[in-house]
Amino acid sequence: MADNIQRLLSIMSALRDPQTGCPWDLKQSYASIVPYTLEEAYEVADAIARENFDELKDELGDLLFQVVFYAQLAKEDGRFAFDDCVAAICDKLERRHPHVFGELSADAAPDAEKVLNAEPLNAETVLQNWEALKSGERIATGQHSVLDNIPMAMPALSRAYKLQKRCANVGFDWPDVSGCWDKVKEEILEVEQTAPGSKALEEELGDLMFALVNVVRKHKLDPEAVLRAANSKFETRFRGVEQLLAEQDKTPQQSNLDEMEALWQQVKHQGR
C-alpha cells in the first residue's frame, strides 16, 4: 500500500513539474479544482447508492487524487505536504476516540469522560462525546459560537441539517418531533397567506424547507439522502411514463397532463 501511495504522489508531482508537466494540471489552483472535488464526492455517493462496488473502487481513487492534488499545491506553496494531512487525521481520530485509544487527554471536553465510563458503551454515547470534543476544539482555536466552522459551500439542505444539529447539541431543540410538525404547519400557513411572486414568499418557502429538515432530523434521517431517494423514485416513475407513452408512439410533448397523470398512477401501482 505504501508503494502505491508513493507512486500516486510521484505521478502528481510529475503532472505539476514546471518543465515537463501537464499544461492542464499546471494551470490549476485550490479554487479551480473544488468543483471537481465536489463532483467526485457525489460520484462516490452515487456508486454507493447503486451498490456498484467495482465502480466505487474507481470513484474512491478519483476522490483520493483530489486530496493528493491539494496537498501538492500546498507543498509547492510551502504550507504542508500529504504526510501532514495524514498525520492530522490520525491525531484527530485518536483524540476523538478515547474509548479506543486510551485515556483522555488533558484538554479533552469536560463531559468526555462519560464515554470511557459508559456502561454499556454505545454509538449514541460515542457520538455525543465526539460532538463535545469538537466543541472543545473549536473553543481552543478561538471559535466561540456553536455554529462556527460550518462551511458556507455545503449544499443548503446539508447545511440546514448541520446548523440544527449543532443547536440541538446545546439544548436548543424541540423535545420531540411534534414540535417540528407544528412549526411546519405554521410555515405552510404563512406561505399560503403570502402574495405570489413577492420577496416575502421566497423567504417563507425557505422557512418551510428549513422546518421540514427539522422533521427529517428528528426521525434520525439524513435530509440529503431522503431527498436523493425521492429524486430517484420520481425519475424512475417518470421514465416509466415515458416508456408507456413510447408504446403508444407518443412523447410527453405530444401528450397532456391528464394522460401523463393516468400513466403515472399506473406506474405507481406497479410498485415502481
Side-chain angles (χ1 to χ4, degrees), residues 113 123 190 204 244 268:
E113 190 173 350
E190 292 181 4
E204 295 300 342
L244 292 175
K268 182 178 178 180

Side-chain angles (χ1 to χ4, degrees), residues 98-113:
H99 52 291
V100 175
F101 298 107
E103 297 298 321
L104 294 170
S105 63
D107 58 350
D111 58 348
E113 190 173 350

Side-chain angles (χ1 to χ4, degrees), residues 3 26 30 44 104 113 119 137 195-196 199 224 253 266:
D3 289 344
L26 286 167
Y30 299 102
V44 166
L104 294 170
E113 190 173 350
E119 291 293 344
E137 290 167 8
K199 182 67 176 177
E224 283 286 343
Q253 293 86 341
Q266 181 179 333

Side-chain angles (χ1 to χ4, degrees), residues 229-258:
N231 288 343
S232 179
K233 181 169 66 176
F234 178 88
E235 181 178 1
T236 298
R237 288 179 178 175
F238 191 78
R239 287 181 184 274
V241 170
E242 289 178 313
Q243 181 180 343
L244 292 175
L245 283 171
E247 292 171 2
Q248 302 173 24
D249 294 323
K250 296 176 70 174
T251 66
Q253 293 86 341
Q254 296 167 330
S255 183
N256 59 51
L257 178 59
D258 289 339

Side-chain angles (χ1 to χ4, degrees), residues 156-197:
L157 202 61
S158 293
R159 194 164 192 272
Y161 174 78
K162 193 81 170 178
L163 289 167
Q164 294 171 7
K165 188 177 175 183
R166 286 274 186 92
C167 290
N169 286 336
V170 295
F172 190 69
D173 194 14
W174 280 281
D176 55 53
V177 74
S178 63
C180 301
W181 276 121
D182 289 341
K183 186 63 176 175
V184 168
K185 294 170 187 175
E186 175 189 324
E187 297 298 346
I188 289 174
L189 286 175
E190 292 181 4
V191 167
E192 292 175 341
Q193 294 166 3
T194 303

